[in-house]
Amino acid sequence: MVLELLRPAGGVFVEALTGMRFFRRSPAVVEIPPNILSELRAGILVCTSPRSGSNHLAGLMASAGLGHPLEWFGGRRLLELPGYPRDPRAQLLRALTEGRSSTGIYAIKIFASQFTQLAKKVNLPASLPNLSYVRLTRDDLLGQAISWARARQTREFRSTEISHVPPRYNGQAIAESLEKILMENLAWDGWFAKNGLPFLSLTYEEIEHDPAGSLTKVAQLADVEPNWETNPRSGLEIQRDALNEEWRKRFLSEYADPSSFQYRMMK
């Protein structure tokens, strides 16, 4: 079996073309009330993909007074909080208030899939004051895909969550997760490149190895003094275990094929 990373005609790119419109309404710039704006010192937008270690980074940042980078635009907020607003403008104001630390730093975590939907209605970069960007990725993409496929099955997205659904290997789910992660990363890379936006690049592996050093970089990005313990903790534990490695070996035995290479030029 061969993992198809680029689909033929009728796939992702065709869907994107058919979804184009010659005329579209410009996304709105959200006006921030003065009482909220006066409390904001700087903002951090964590641009990432599922199972990149973003929950771990969010816990570390919260412990260091660097905001609360949660999925303020849809995602888990809608699932976890009854009555959470669906209007992206209201969600943005929640991010600037509930996502703000006492230091005045606010933070937001967002996936490319969420940003795609949000950008249809709200001009997020223009709406967020004094904004800096963190690009969070994971070196082990297959490990990330395995983690995502497992979490979607068990609903254990954090180590603090308990599931009563036993995980079962599903190679197709891992392949689909890997493809979605690759597309998320491609979308972010393209967006940053075409807009010439500076960003701080962090990897999950780097944060795991040196959490204090990673937080120092984020603090410098927001132009604030580091303020945390020598060994900061996120409150979360590593979820991957021997089962993840077992799934990796099984997946590779089924899908690996170095003789196959696919590349499609866009005309």
Side-chain angles (χ1 to χ4, degrees), residues 59-231:
L60 290 171
M61 288 177 61
S63 70
L66 296 172
H68 302 276
L70 305 178
E71 293 174 48
W72 296 107
F73 295 101
R76 294 186 65 86
R77 300 284 77 69
L78 291 174
L79 296 175
E80 296 175 347
L81 301 177
Y84 189 77
R86 293 183 176 272
D87 182 357
R89 298 169 183 81
Q91 293 173 349
L92 187 145
L93 295 180
R94 292 284 284 266
L96 295 181
T97 52
E98 297 178 23
R100 184 187 70 231
S101 296
S102 59
T103 57
I105 306 298
Y106 69 89
I108 298 168
K109 176 179 77 171
I110 192 166
F111 301 144
S113 55
Q114 296 168 341
F115 197 13
T116 297
Q117 296 303 315
L118 180 65
K120 296 176 182 179
K121 297 182 178 181
V122 170
N123 185 336
L124 189 64
S127 300
L128 297 176
N130 198 14
L131 184 64
S132 297
Y133 300 93
V134 170
R135 178 77 175 93
L136 175 63
T137 58
R138 186 167 171 173
D139 290 336
D140 182 6
L141 293 175
L142 179 54
Q144 183 177 354
I146 291 171
S147 175
W148 194 16
R150 179 173 175 174
R152 284 193 294 169
Q153 185 181 119
T154 63
R155 312 309 298 174
E156 289 183 85
F157 289 94
R158 302 187 186 98
S159 61
T160 53
E161 297 174 329
I162 299 176
S163 173
H164 300 288
V165 179
R168 297 180 182 277
Y169 173 81
N170 185 330
Q172 183 61 36
I174 295 173
E176 291 174 355
S177 295
L178 179 57
E179 182 171 302
K180 289 178 180 178
I181 290 168
L182 292 172
M183 294 303 295
E184 287 254 344
N185 288 343
L186 178 62
W188 281 126
D189 290 343
W191 184 74
F192 278 110
K194 75 175 183 179
N195 291 296
L197 294 171
F199 60 90
L200 169 64
S201 179
L202 289 176
T203 67
Y204 165 73
E205 289 80 3
E206 178 183 1
I207 296 169
E208 186 179 25
H209 175 71
D210 185 12
S214 300
L215 283 177
T216 298
K217 293 179 181 180
V218 177
Q220 292 172 343
L221 188 68
D223 195 25
V224 297
E225 291 295 326
N227 181 28
W228 52 81
E229 299 177 356
T230 304
N231 297 310

Side-chain angles (χ1 to χ4, degrees), residues 51 138 140 143 146-147 150-151 154 156 159 165-168 204 208 237-249:
R51 309 308 290 171
R138 186 167 171 173
D140 182 6
I146 291 171
S147 175
R150 179 173 175 174
T154 63
E156 289 183 85
S159 61
V165 179
R168 297 180 182 277
Y204 165 73
E208 186 179 25
E237 302 296 332
I238 294 175
Q239 290 180 273
R240 66 180 179 276
D241 53 24
L243 184 62
N244 291 60
E245 188 58 31
E246 178 183 321
W247 284 13
R248 180 192 297 271
K249 293 178 181 178

